């Protein structure tokens, strides 16, 4: 969901263009995943001798918008360290669910080679992690101009339909080795908090209907007992106390989740015109990545 970082005014509130301003064009595409290398890495991990019973490391594919773009490196590190996972990521900033659907043609910010189903056929993942804030401004072409502000019910109906279509395409592409989808529930949105709540409910409904999973990563960046209340700081966790580089204000026993006035993203560094993984330690990103990893490891 990250387009060049431009501040625009929408309904009297400052919103970051990185989330998908309709006036901007598509992002530069990330490199195509190295399919052959990913497959080879997985084979080596299975063949490694061990005195303990063999544990098959999961193959994980990570797709999404600018939240996934900034978090992709950290999630990969967590999955490899905790689960010895084989990991491939192909996020595109500014996108939403329909961008990863096959059959969208030129009305998509994701090229055909990186559609969800195409990558499932190429990589044969065990899990497909999908993280989308829920592009609400009609930015991406495949939304056909539907926005939450102009037509909320139409927006939610379209989002629900795209959830099912994407699930079906991933399942069909997986065939007998149908990957399990992990929907990442999002953190609070101070502008339209109920929108995020309802989007997360749609993730939960779809996961329950298709036997998939929800990782409530958004709860890790929300105050205890106030799941949909946005905050820029939270008390440091036990992990952050043990790793003080992630407790940004130890004297006040709190850590920063957002950079400056960016209420959406969790990278504690200024954004650039070219989307890329977050270059600095960022507690919010790590909190969410650890929760996704925990859910996969527990499934």
């Amino acid at each position: 969901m990250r387009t060049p970082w431009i501040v625009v005014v929408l309904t009297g509130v400052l919103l970051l263009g990185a989330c998908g301003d309709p006036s901007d064009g598509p992002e530069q595409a990330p490199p195509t995943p190295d399919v052959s290398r990913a497959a080879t890495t997985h084979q080596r991990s299975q063949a490694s001798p061990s005195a303990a019973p063999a544990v098959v490391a999961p193959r994980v594919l990570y797709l999404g918008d600018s939240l996934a773009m900034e978090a992709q490196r950290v999630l990969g590190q967590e999955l490899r360290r905790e689960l010895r996972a084989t990991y491939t990521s192909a996020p595109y900033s500014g996108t939403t669910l329909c961008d990863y659907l096959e059959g969208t043609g030129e009305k998509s910010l994701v090229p055909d080679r990186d559609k969800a189903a195409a990558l499932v056929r190429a990589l044969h993942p065990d899990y497909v992690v999908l993280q989308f804030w829920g592009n609400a401004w009609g930015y991406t072409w495949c939304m056909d101009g539907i926005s939450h502000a102009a037509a909320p019910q139409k927006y939610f109906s379209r989002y629900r339909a795209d959830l099912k279509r994407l699930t079906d395409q991933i399942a069909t592409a997986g065939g007998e080795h149908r990957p399990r989808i992990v929907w990442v529930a999002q953190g609070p949105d101070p502008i339209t908090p109920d929108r995020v709540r309802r989007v997360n409910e749609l993730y939960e409904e779809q996961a329950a209907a298709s036997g998939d999973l929800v990782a409530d990563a958004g709860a890790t960046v929300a105050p205890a007992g106030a799941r949909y209340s946005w905050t820029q700081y939270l008390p440091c966790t036990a992990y952050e106390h043990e790793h003080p580089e992630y407790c940004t204000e130890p004297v006040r026993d709190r850590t920063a989740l957002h950079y400056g006035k960016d209420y959406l993203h969790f990278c504690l560094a200024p954004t650039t015109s070219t989307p890329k993984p977050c270059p600095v330690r960022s507690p919010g990103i790590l909190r969410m990545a650890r929760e996704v990893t925990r859910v996969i490891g527990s499934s």
Side-chain angles (χ1 to χ4, degrees), residues 68-152:
M69 175 66 74
E70 68 179 3
Q72 60 183 309
R73 182 177 297 155
V74 175
L75 179 59
Q77 290 171 349
E78 291 300 305
L79 288 167
R80 292 184 185 106
R81 181 173 64 245
E82 297 297 325
L83 306 178
R84 300 185 315 172
T86 296
Y87 173 79
T88 304
S89 61
Y92 283 80
S93 295
T95 57
T96 193
L97 302 176
C98 55
D99 286 290
Y100 280 93
L101 287 169
E102 291 189 317
T104 51
E106 295 181 355
K107 292 179 60 177
S108 173
L109 299 178
V110 176
D112 288 346
R113 69 177 184 273
D114 288 340
K115 299 294 191 181
L119 290 175
V120 168
R121 286 191 292 267
L123 297 169
H124 309 291
D126 301 301
Y127 297 90
V128 178
V129 179
L130 299 171
Q131 182 166 15
F132 295 91
W133 175 76
N135 191 306
W137 304 342
Y139 164 67
T140 180
W141 305 315
C142 68
M143 283 296 288
D144 300 317
I146 299 172
S147 69
H148 176 263

Side-chain angles (χ1 to χ4, degrees), residues 213-233:
L213 303 167
V214 174
D216 193 3
T220 69
V221 291
R227 174 63 177 81
Y228 290 98
S229 295
W230 185 91
T231 182
Q232 188 156 359
Y233 301 92

Side-chain angles (χ1 to χ4, degrees), residues 231-237 240-241 246-256 287:
T231 182
Q232 188 156 359
Y233 301 92
L234 280 177
C236 295
T237 64
E240 289 159 357
H241 284 303
Y246 287 101
C247 186
T248 62
E249 296 185 19
V251 174
R252 304 177 71 175
D253 189 25
R254 71 179 193 177
T255 197
R287 287 182 181 210

Side-chain angles (χ1 to χ4, degrees), residues 42 49 69 86 103 159 183 194 200 227 256 259 281 290-291:
H42 178 65
M69 175 66 74
T86 296
Y159 209 80
W183 297 101
D194 189 58
N200 286 346
R227 174 63 177 81
Y259 178 84
R281 291 188 180 94
R290 283 169 55 82
E291 177 61 13

Side-chain angles (χ1 to χ4, degrees), residues 171-215:
T172 299
E176 294 183 359
H177 184 72
R178 193 267 203 205
R180 207 158 185 201
I181 296 172
V182 181
W183 297 101
V184 181
Q186 296 311 306
D189 176 2
I191 308 302
T192 54
D194 189 58
R195 184 196 64 81
V196 171
R197 184 198 308 271
R198 292 192 61 182
V199 165
N200 286 346
E201 288 173 354
L202 291 177
Y203 292 150
E204 292 170 359
E205 291 172 7
Q206 181 58 54
S210 54
D212 291 308
L213 303 167
V214 174

